Amino acid sequence: MQLYIYAKSGHNFGLENVRRACAVFNMLKDTKPVLCTSDYRAATFAKYNLGANRGVGVDVIGNMPHAMERGDMLIYDDSGEASQTMQSHMEKFCTHLYKIGEDIPKDIVDLDYFNSSNHTIKKAVSFADDDYANWFFDFVKDSKRYNLPLLLGHYFFLGNEDILKNHFSKLYEDEEYKEIVCNTTYLLTASVHTALESLAAGNNPIFFIRKDKEYIDNTDLLEKYNIPTIKGDNFDQLIDNFEKQITNYPEVKKIEPFDISKIEDDIKQTIKKFERIKPSLEYKY
């Protein structure tokens, strides 16, 4: 019997789902879960950077039954990919089925982020993991140069660094994500989950609304924690608003670690029960 954790991922919408799923993976590491992502590149990144040492790419959630055996357990990110019919089928297929966004909250953050800030960087920019339409690149390329470091996204286009380095004091690779998020006092980001991780580390995130997407998931979580949001018609205006928000930063609500112990106990008890009956199932006359 195996526990699987599924997260929708892709170069055109980033790794927020994967980061949430890996937070769950690390909390349940004793159960030896397997992380499944929509693209293998995300699974590889999660293995080397997010602690998910067992992972595979499965393209879409509909392929999960091909990777699983009937009776296995599944935790999946409720990103709207699974239809009601598919969810009903998975309930019958799985011994335990948990949904991130219902059984596990969307604001789950990896425990390593909590109170881990050293405040070595005062201000930095971390747009998002993705820039599929080159929106951020175009947004920045005509701006002034700022004394601000930029954390590059995992799915940024190769070669854009040559232009971006003319507008920022330093470029950090995506492998340095956790260090930058944890140690930046004021982080300007267009990723909701990155803002939550920054908040968990004891920092002061500021969210800016990207104009290349009509709808941004989970912005209600920004309101829940009173994380400020800003806009800008161009990058220079955005940075001006960023500086103004820093001088008038609001009181934010503290984010608490999610207690996953009840789910963990249920999974472990099921695994132990299966181990007791497995010899009988494998017995051959």
Side-chain angles (χ1 to χ4, degrees):
M1 177 164 291
Q2 180 66 58
L3 170 64
Y4 292 88
I5 302 174
Y6 173 83
K8 184 178 180 181
S9 61
H11 58 277
N12 61 338
F13 53 85
L15 294 169
E16 291 206 18
N17 300 336
V18 177
R19 295 187 189 282
R20 277 194 300 272
C22 286
V24 176
F25 184 104
N26 290 323
M27 291 178 188
L28 298 175
K29 189 160 283 188
D30 288 347
T31 66
K32 298 180 180 179
V34 175
L35 175 70
C36 299
T37 60
S38 301
D39 63 311
Y40 188 75
R41 180 176 171 181
T44 303
F45 177 80
K47 176 180 179 180
Y48 291 106
N49 297 279
L50 302 178
N53 57 350
R54 304 176 74 207
V56 296
V58 295
D59 292 330
V60 294
I61 194 171
N63 286 339
M64 286 304 301
H66 302 300
M68 303 168 65
E69 294 183 358
R70 183 172 292 276
D72 281 339
M73 299 167 286
L74 175 64
I75 297 173
Y76 69 104
D77 194 289
D78 181 25
S79 54
E81 187 179 5
S83 67
Q84 189 60 48
T85 300
M86 185 180 295
Q87 292 180 65
S88 178
H89 173 73
M90 290 192 298
E91 287 174 359
K92 297 175 183 177
F93 188 87
C94 300
T95 302
H96 291 301
L97 181 68
Y98 303 99
K99 182 188 298 185
I100 298 177
E102 187 173 300
D103 305 293
I104 297 170
K106 285 281 189 177
D107 53 359
I108 188 170
V109 173
D110 194 289
L111 298 178
D112 282 350
Y113 281 90
F114 286 89
N115 302 314
S116 58
S117 178
N118 293 318
H119 299 290
T120 55
I121 303 170
K122 183 176 181 181
K123 295 176 286 187
V125 179
S126 172
F127 169 61
D129 285 302
D130 65 293
D131 191 21
Y132 183 68
N134 254 340
W135 180 83
F136 181 72
F137 175 78
D138 292 336
F139 191 58
V140 167
K141 68 180 182 181
D142 295 324
S143 72
K144 298 184 295 186
R145 179 181 177 87
Y146 290 92
N147 186 28
L148 284 169
L150 170 68
L151 175 62
L152 296 170
H154 181 61
Y155 292 110
F156 274 27
F157 287 101
L158 293 175
N160 283 0
E161 298 94 328
D162 293 337
I163 297 297
L164 292 172
K165 69 182 181 182
N166 296 323
H167 302 280
F168 296 92
S169 59
K170 185 174 182 177
L171 301 184
Y172 289 101
E173 297 295 330
D174 62 311
E175 290 83 359
E176 300 174 272
Y177 175 93
K178 184 177 178 181
E179 178 183 354
I180 304 306
V181 171
C182 284
N183 295 320
T184 301
T185 303
Y186 295 100
L187 184 68
L188 179 62
T189 180
S191 164
V192 173
H193 192 73
T194 299
L196 296 177
E197 290 171 331
S198 173
L199 184 65
N203 297 313
N204 304 306
I206 297 173
F207 183 86
F208 78 91
I209 300 171
R210 52 193 292 180
K211 295 182 179 180
D212 62 327
K213 293 191 175 184
E214 293 183 4
Y215 177 77
I216 301 173
D217 291 330
N218 305 318
T219 53
D220 58 310
L221 297 177
L222 301 173
E223 298 176 10
K224 176 180 178 179
Y225 293 101
N226 202 33
I227 296 172
T229 63
I230 60 173
K231 297 180 180 179
D233 292 332
N234 54 62
F235 191 67
D236 293 324
Q237 186 182 97
L238 180 72
I239 295 303
D240 183 53
N241 291 336
F242 178 46
E243 297 289 353
K244 290 177 181 177
Q245 186 65 76
I246 288 174
T247 62
N248 190 32
Y249 196 84
E251 183 177 349
V252 290
K253 181 181 176 182
K254 183 179 179 181
I255 187 169
E256 299 291 343
F258 176 65
D259 183 2
I260 206 167
S261 58
K262 176 63 169 62
I263 292 175
E264 182 179 25
D265 289 344
D266 289 344
I267 291 171
K268 285 183 175 180
Q269 288 176 18
T270 299
I271 292 174
K272 186 177 294 186
K273 180 179 178 181
F274 179 78
E275 288 175 346
R276 289 198 299 266
I277 67 172
K278 186 178 179 182
S280 298
L281 294 175
E282 293 180 343
Y283 180 78
K284 295 181 179 180
Y285 292 96

